[in-house]
Amino acid sequence: MIVQHHLPRDLFRGKTVFVTGGGSGINLGVASNFAALGAHVGICGRTKDKLDRAAVGLRELNAHADGKVLAVAADVRDPAALDAAIARTQAELGPIDVLVAGAAGNFLCPAEELTPNGFKTVIDIDLLGSFHASRAAFEQLRERRGCILFISAPQAFVPQAYQLHVGAAKAGVDNLMRNLAVEWGRHGIRANSIVPGPIEGTEGLKRLSSPEVDERAKQAVPLHRYGTVDDIGQAAVFLASPLASYITGTVLLVDGGSALVGSALWNETVQTLPRGKR
Ligand code: HXC
Ligand code: NAP
């Protein structure tokens, strides 16, 4: 993964960034972009091996700024585990300046086949997990007049077939974000959402797409390409930087214009998938 941008390499030196779900994909791309700008980085997820592997790369990226990296196993559905992870982050890296709530789960499922527990599972990870992380980090964010970045999804406002659970969860995340922007603004805490479009090489896209539809899907994006994890990482560092100091309560689409053209192609695609392929 190449992290390239034109900001000072020490922009986040001495700052602490904590990323839920930071062991892979887009969230690791976000963590990497902060590390490349000198931040101390804490990541959590359920799979310790994956986190440890990610931590090796993060340490290379922030070594120039004497950055530290902490990888801690915690399920965002478990508030006590998150409290412990976030307390440990403060003890080992310093109080959190930037919280990235990125942990999420997804699968394709027709609404009529979705079980109560299937629906609940995605709400628990995406929406409750984002609340638990925000709540756990509040005191540290207040101390640092920090910010929160929620990793949302277009399904929050563009309905998409077989994605009812994700749409409900991410719409909830964006609303949580707006409420926190209003309530915590008085503490100097900013809150914003980033909506990635289809991002190449990620688990999320793998679960929705297939090699057969990739070319058509890319051509349907107004910018005619899938995004990269660095596209999202760069938006994240912008929103956390002083360049965005008066931006709060926004949903920033980083999607090559995808949301403008709706979900028709995806709907047509998934509805023809045989059961075994989803
Ligand atoms: C229907 C399913 C299902 C499927 C699970 N369930 N997979 N239902 N179709 N393919 C149901 C189960 O039957 C069960 O309900 C309930 O969901 C919980 O399943 P578990 O396997 O016990 O859950 P758990 O182990 O907690 O795993 C959570 C998970 C899993 C979400 C189901 O896929 C996961 O760990 N995902 C993390 C990685 C991931 O999803 N990355 C992509 C993020 S992308 P019952 O009733 O049987 O008990 C994203 C969207 C972005 O978030 C948009 C992309 C463009
Ligand atoms: P990913 O690599 O699977 O990222 C999800 C991460 O969350 C994983 O590292 C996973 O690690 C972690 N996670 C899942 N459940 C968790 C839990 N209960 N507690 C703690 N951590 C948990 O997928 P991705 O595609 O990069 O998605 C990253 C974010 O981008 C998500 O918020 C997703 O909704 C959003 N998004 C993705 C796309 C896309 O094109 N990929 C588009 C729009 C939005 P463990 O499984 O080890 O816990």
Side-chain angles (χ1 to χ4, degrees):
M1 180 193 312
I2 300 164
V3 180
Q4 286 180 319
H5 33 58
H6 306 283
L7 296 169
R9 287 182 80 214
D10 283 348
L11 186 62
F12 290 97
R13 179 190 276 265
K15 307 266 188 195
T16 297
V17 179
F18 185 82
V19 185
T20 70
S24 60
I26 289 173
N27 303 320
L28 178 56
V30 169
S32 299
N33 274 266
F34 279 108
L37 294 174
H40 303 305
V41 178
I43 53 176
C44 82
R46 294 167 300 174
T47 319
K48 187 67 167 77
D49 286 0
K50 190 162 85 176
L51 294 166
D52 287 341
R53 282 195 301 276
V56 172
L58 292 169
R59 284 192 186 99
E60 284 172 18
L61 286 168
N62 69 7
H64 68 279
D66 299 319
K68 298 177 205 155
V69 175
L70 175 67
V72 45
D75 189 320
V76 295
R77 293 170 286 192
D78 178 349
L82 260 185
D83 283 349
I86 281 175
R88 200 175 145 201
T89 302
Q90 177 170 29
E92 297 187 25
L93 307 185
I96 294 169
D97 295 275
V98 182
L99 169 69
V100 181
N106 190 19
F107 48 81
L108 287 169
C109 187
E112 67 277 15
E113 290 176 23
L114 189 61
T115 64
N117 192 39
F119 183 78
K120 178 177 182 299
T121 297
V122 171
I123 298 288
D124 278 350
I125 301 171
D126 295 25
L127 178 54
L128 274 73
S130 295
F131 168 71
H132 297 323
S134 305
R135 188 193 136 280
F138 170 68
E139 288 299 344
Q140 296 180 41
L141 291 168
R142 179 165 67 167
E143 177 183 337
R144 302 293 296 172
R145 299 179 74 78
C147 73
I148 312 177
L149 301 174
F150 295 95
I151 307 301
S152 184
Q155 287 87 333
F157 52 94
V158 181
Q160 190 169 322
Y162 298 3
Q163 290 284 271
L164 172 146
H165 42 317
V166 173
K170 296 292 194 179
V173 167
D174 289 344
N175 204 57
L176 174 76
M177 177 277 291
R178 292 189 188 93
N179 275 279
L180 293 181
V182 167
E183 280 197 45
W184 292 354
R186 70 182 187 278
H187 303 301
I189 299 173
R190 297 183 296 110
N192 292 288
S193 291
I194 294 175
V195 168
I199 303 301
E200 67 187 7
T202 60
E203 184 62 31
L205 187 59
K206 205 169 89 189
R207 288 178 186 223
L208 299 192
S209 189
S210 65
E212 304 88 71
V213 296
D214 275 341
E215 270 323 302
R216 278 173 68 208
K218 281 181 202 171
Q219 292 313 311
V221 177
L223 285 182
H224 283 212
R225 67 169 176 89
Y226 283 157
T228 66
V229 297
D230 283 333
D231 287 323
I232 308 306
Q234 290 171 34
V237 297
F238 161 69
L239 280 174
S241 79
L243 293 171
S245 57
Y246 203 52
I247 300 178
T248 195
T250 64
V251 175
L252 177 62
L253 277 61
V254 186
D255 72 344
S258 301
L260 298 173
V261 299
S263 62
L265 173 65
W266 297 106
N267 299 341
E268 177 199 323
T269 305
V270 298
Q271 285 170 341
T272 60
L273 284 176
R275 203 186 172 109
K277 287 206 84 178
R278 50 175 159 86

